[in-house]
Amino acid sequence: MKLNTNSNSYIIIYSAILVVVVAFLLAFVYQALKPMQDANVALDKKKQILYSLNIRGLDGAEAEAKYAEVVKSEEKAGDQIYYACEIDGQKKYVFPLKGMGLWGGISAFVSVDDDLNTIYGAYFNHESETAGLGAEIKDSQAWQEKFKGKKIFADDGQMAIGVVKKVENPASEVDCVTGATLTCNGVDEMLKEGLKSYIETLKK
């Protein structure tokens, strides 16, 4: 009996078999590549933590080794994870932060000196901010370096760290990225709420 390749039943069966085969192949490739993808995600996170500690320009193996050297432990402040580190014999704490920018989520790792008040370094990331504007929070190392040495709290204990249009308190404030006011507002709120939450918990 000759197979009628023009029949509806043939087309439906052929399409169903093709979908099953393609789905199987995609699932196989996903499972085969997942360990590598997970390793790359973990390495990227370690690099971001190192960036916040002002350690940049390392390849994968170098970053793994440096991370193992400087990050001493993962700790908890309430329900939040932070990282206890040591640089040149001095304690540092790295706090992961999350917030909202103009078009989506933003995040950061901020390292703080042992006084729990002086920022040692910062690295910012985003999901979908505008290139050349809001994306500069990630792409501009020069802007990130403006946070070095900034004070989180004023002498009276009030939250002082901020990202503002016009800097009036150079000890605690960083100027906005030009043309990215809404993204920087998100960064400002993320810093204030996130750092306050960690540090108040640690000081109890």
Side-chain angles (χ1 to χ4, degrees):
M1 180 177 177
K2 187 177 179 180
L3 187 63
N4 183 6
T5 58
N6 293 318
S7 68
N8 290 336
S9 60
Y10 174 85
I11 294 172
I12 292 171
I13 294 171
Y14 179 83
S15 300
I17 293 173
L18 187 61
V19 168
V20 170
V21 170
V22 170
F24 173 79
L25 290 175
L26 289 174
F28 175 80
V29 170
Y30 173 78
Q31 290 298 325
L33 295 179
K34 192 173 187 305
M36 185 183 299
Q37 293 170 341
D38 291 344
N40 287 337
V41 169
L43 176 59
D44 183 61
K45 180 179 177 180
K46 290 176 181 179
K47 283 185 174 181
Q48 291 186 40
I49 292 172
L50 292 175
Y51 294 160
S52 77
L53 291 164
N54 308 313
I55 302 170
R56 298 175 183 251
L58 304 180
D59 64 24
E62 292 170 335
E64 290 280 8
K66 195 65 177 178
Y67 183 90
E69 175 189 336
V70 303
V71 179
K72 300 304 181 182
S73 62
E74 289 187 11
E75 305 290 344
K76 292 194 75 174
D79 295 329
Q80 304 176 103
I81 299 292
Y82 69 97
Y83 303 86
C85 308
E86 188 174 305
I87 303 289
D88 297 328
Q90 297 182 340
K91 290 183 180 179
K92 312 291 178 186
Y93 302 99
V94 176
F95 302 117
L97 308 176
K98 290 188 179 295
M100 283 297 297
L102 174 59
W103 301 114
I106 56 176
S107 60
F109 287 100
V110 177
S111 63
V112 177
D113 286 341
D114 198 27
D115 64 1
L116 294 175
N117 191 39
T118 307
I119 293 179
Y120 181 70
Y123 177 78
F124 298 91
N125 206 342
H126 66 88
E127 293 177 2
S128 54
E129 298 305 297
T130 306
L133 298 174
E136 288 296 288
I137 65 171
K138 174 186 178 184
D139 298 336
S140 175
Q141 181 179 341
W143 187 76
Q144 294 172 8
E145 289 179 346
K146 291 182 179 182
F147 289 86
K148 291 181 182 178
K150 299 299 182 185
K151 298 299 182 182
I152 299 170
F153 299 98
D155 292 339
D156 61 3
Q158 296 298 308
M159 177 64 67
I161 188 68
V163 179
V164 297
K165 283 187 176 181
K166 183 179 179 181
V167 173
E168 296 181 353
N169 179 12
S172 297
E173 295 175 346
V174 171
D175 57 315
C176 281
V177 174
T178 302
T181 301
L182 294 179
T183 300
C184 288
N185 288 345
V187 173
D188 180 74
E189 183 177 354
M190 176 176 67
L191 288 169
K192 285 180 165 65
E193 296 301 320
L195 291 174
K196 180 180 179 182
S197 175
Y198 280 110
I199 293 172
E200 286 189 346
T201 302
L202 291 177
K203 285 184 173 181
K204 289 181 180 178

